[in-house]
């Protein structure tokens, strides 16, 4: 029997430390500032807000269609 398993239980016991690391990785997924869609590795972009340098993230669709965005930190609005 492996030390990480409980007899009669088919699920692996996961430490709190591992769960916290997974949670941080999931929360680290970059999302578009306009539509909140996850950014793909190709086609999306990010840049500093012209007013406060907060990281603005744009997906390919919102960028190509000039969908407006608003900086969540200072309220600056851009195309």
């Amino acid at each position: 029997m492996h030390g990480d398993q409980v007899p009669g239980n088919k699920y692996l016991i996961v430490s709190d430390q591992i769960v916290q690391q997974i949670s941080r990785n999931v929360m680290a997924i970059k999302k578009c500032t306009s539509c909140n869609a996850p950014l793909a590795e190709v086609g999306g972009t990010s840049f500093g807000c012209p007013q406060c340098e907060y990281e603005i993230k744009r997906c390919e669709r919102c960028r190509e269609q000039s969908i407006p965005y608003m900086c969540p930190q200072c309220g600056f609005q851009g195309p």
Side-chain angles (χ1 to χ4, degrees), residues 33 49 51-56 69-76:
T33 302
C49 170
Q51 198 164 32
C52 72
E53 292 301 315
Y54 181 88
E55 184 182 23
I56 303 293
Y69 67 87
M70 182 169 56
C71 176
Q73 184 165 300
C74 73
F76 177 85

Side-chain angles (χ1 to χ4, degrees), residues 32 34 39 44-45 47 57-60 62-63 67-69 79:
C32 177
S34 298
L39 291 185
T45 190
F47 54 92
K57 298 167 278 296
R58 305 277 281 160
C59 70
E60 184 175 22
C62 288
R63 189 173 48 82
I67 305 293
Y69 67 87

